Amino acid sequence: MSRKVLSEMGIYQELGLQDVIVATGNFTELGGSLMPAEVTEAMREAARSFVSIPALHERAGQVIADVTGAEAGYVTSGAAAGLVLATAACMTGSNPAAIHKLPDTDGLKNTIVIHKAHSNHYNRMFRLAGAKVKEVGYGAHRTLPWQLESALDERTAAVVYVVAQFLVTQTALPLPEVLRIARAKGVPVIVDAANELPPVENLRKFSEMGADLVVFSGGKDLQGPQPTGFICGRADLIAACALNGAPNHGIGRPMKVGKEEIVGLVAALKRYVRLDHQARIASWEQKVALVVDGLADIERLQVSRVFPDYTGRPVPRAWLTWDEGSAGLSKQEVLDALANGSPIIRVLEEYAGKGLLIDPTTLLAGQEGIIAERLRSIFSGRGGARQPVEPGE
């Protein structure tokens, strides 16, 4: 292929890949988010000079504290790494002997307590730090206060409370009650709020409620570098996170964050709190309305707007349901037709049922129209393939 042709192609096309229209919201497997120029320019500038990484971490932590209202903050290499470091901090504190012992936790408080209703594949992050996991409650049925109280003993390092879209059950104890029970036992609470932006108020909400450590992703709605996240919370535990992390030689040594990512995360965080979030919601509403209105006349398809999302985030979505028998289309067949056409389209499978969701938060201008046209084609039996359309056409 000639240099001229390559120069006219996008970077993914040069690698033999296609761009993807992402209507799922921010997912790691689809690239997280798109960083705005303000963030990429900050990273570009950071790449031009050397800096003391511990000093940069400390200054970034002060910015995180200012924005979140917590005592301190720490930049991590993603939210999952944040869970590892938060777990390690609760087990070791600032004790160097304990820090250098991990993942051997003999003799340490080494148990993480989590609702069975919150248990998920990220439990591995606790085990990675050397912790043992103890589940409480009756799973999808309910959790009783005494179950949490009786689970907290002299080996408990922390309680982890998960706020996430993929956990649709409401059977866990409310966070205020968890905080009350844990505080009475002297046990710290880690809140996993990786994808709980928006609303912007969540940056402060969980710390103000009394959570000891709160973990956020930097590469989702914050639109920072994808391999970043941050922890905010108690100053002593944040200090322990730093001691367990890079460039120190603790359990978090392979989870280092580069100077460019730290600066990019700080730039993204400062930008995020300055955004007009009501205007963002209004733009999402317009995209959802275009999808709903564009598919309203398809008899076999029921389309409606749903708001808010499962965890109460102010995100409108288009909800698609249909009878697979009468439509002659299974959910998987629709997903395959969207994914196998050109451009590739990825939508969200509804967690609690059989439908599909169109999340507008990751759509570029005009892409909602491409999605509506592809779905019309699929449900009218014409297949999924079409030629790429420039945004706005």
Side-chain angles (χ1 to χ4, degrees):
M1 187 176 293
S2 71
R3 290 181 180 274
K4 183 175 185 295
V5 172
L6 284 174
S7 68
E8 293 173 353
M9 298 172 67
I11 187 64
Y12 298 124
Q13 286 72 38
E14 290 184 26
L15 294 170
L17 303 172
Q18 292 189 63
D19 291 332
V20 181
I21 292 178
V22 176
T24 61
N26 305 107
F27 274 72
T28 296
E29 68 171 284
L30 295 172
S33 63
L34 300 181
M35 293 185 290
E38 189 173 337
V39 175
T40 57
E41 181 52 41
M43 295 177 69
R44 187 176 296 111
E45 185 173 345
R48 296 173 183 152
S49 305
F50 293 106
V51 71
S52 164
I53 294 298
L56 180 58
H57 262 301
E58 183 176 354
R59 180 64 190 119
Q62 291 169 358
V63 174
I64 293 169
D66 291 342
V67 169
T68 64
E71 292 179 3
Y74 185 75
V75 181
T76 65
S77 58
L83 293 177
V84 177
L85 292 175
T87 301
C90 290
M91 292 192 296
T92 68
S94 295
N95 181 343
I99 290 168
H100 288 280
K101 186 178 180 182
L102 294 187
D104 177 1
T105 58
D106 287 346
L108 302 178
K109 293 183 176 183
N110 65 353
T111 302
I112 293 294
V113 174
I114 189 170
H115 286 82
K116 186 172 289 187
H118 285 177
S119 188
N120 63 86
H121 42 275
Y122 288 102
N123 285 9
R124 293 185 180 90
M125 302 305 108
F126 317 134
R127 297 189 182 100
L128 183 59
K132 299 177 181 179
V133 177
K134 181 189 294 185
E135 297 180 351
V136 297
Y138 296 119
H141 299 289
R142 64 186 303 197
T143 302
L144 300 172
W146 68 262
Q147 292 176 310
L148 178 59
E149 291 171 352
S150 63
L152 304 183
D153 57 28
E154 68 280 356
R155 299 305 301 275
T156 305
V159 176
V160 171
Y161 196 91
V162 184
V163 186
Q165 297 178 66
F166 60 83
L167 297 173
V168 298
T169 177
Q170 301 299 315
T171 62
L173 293 170
L175 179 56
E177 188 164 11
V178 171
L179 290 166
R180 177 187 62 79
I181 293 170
R183 191 174 294 116
K185 296 270 192 167
V187 174
V189 174
I190 302 168
V191 172
D192 178 356
N195 196 29
E196 290 314 298
L197 297 173
V200 64
E201 291 80 12
N202 277 0
L203 285 170
R204 290 177 169 265
K205 173 182 175 180
F206 304 110
S207 292
E208 290 176 347
M209 291 175 71
D212 299 276
L213 291 172
V214 186
V215 179
F216 288 97
S217 172
K220 292 185 167 60
D221 197 59
L222 203 62
Q223 292 184 277
Q226 185 181 5
T228 63
F230 67 91
I231 313 171
C232 57
R234 275 171 39 189
D236 62 321
L237 289 176
I238 293 294
C241 289
L243 290 171
N244 276 282
N248 299 310
H249 292 276
I251 194 75
R253 184 63 180 82
M255 304 169 195
K256 64 182 176 184
V257 193
K259 58 187 184 299
E260 299 83 6
E261 285 78 23
I262 296 173
V263 168
L265 186 280
V266 169
L269 194 54
K270 288 181 175 180
R271 172 184 176 273
Y272 194 76
V273 295
R274 294 196 307 264
L275 290 175
D276 184 339
H277 290 277
Q278 290 305 311
R280 296 179 77 217
I281 294 172
S283 72
W284 298 337
E285 291 283 14
Q286 289 180 340
K287 289 180 170 66
V288 168
L290 284 168
V291 172
V292 173
D293 294 344
L295 300 174
D297 63 335
I298 300 178
E299 292 183 4
R300 294 180 294 174
L301 185 63
Q302 292 78 51
V303 189
S304 61
R305 167 190 174 271
V306 289
F307 182 92
D309 75 0
Y310 297 119
T311 58
R313 299 188 315 157
V315 175
R317 289 166 166 173
W319 182 32
L320 285 63
T321 58
W322 64 94
D323 181 84
E324 294 188 357
S326 61
L329 281 169
S330 69
K331 182 172 71 171
Q332 190 58 53
E333 286 173 326
V334 174
L335 290 169
D336 289 344
L338 290 169
N340 293 331
S342 179
I344 297 168
I345 296 174
R346 293 286 299 272
V347 300
L348 188 64
E349 295 186 61
E350 187 191 8
Y351 296 119
K354 297 181 179 180
L356 298 176
L357 293 166
I358 308 298
D359 188 310
T361 60
T362 44
L363 292 179
L364 303 180
Q367 289 183 339
E368 68 278 4
I370 298 173
I371 294 171
E373 183 179 342
R374 178 78 64 79
L375 286 166
R376 289 187 68 85
S377 178
I378 292 168
F379 278 90
S380 64
R382 295 198 305 270
R386 68 183 306 280
Q387 293 302 310
V389 177
E390 293 296 325
E393 284 192 10

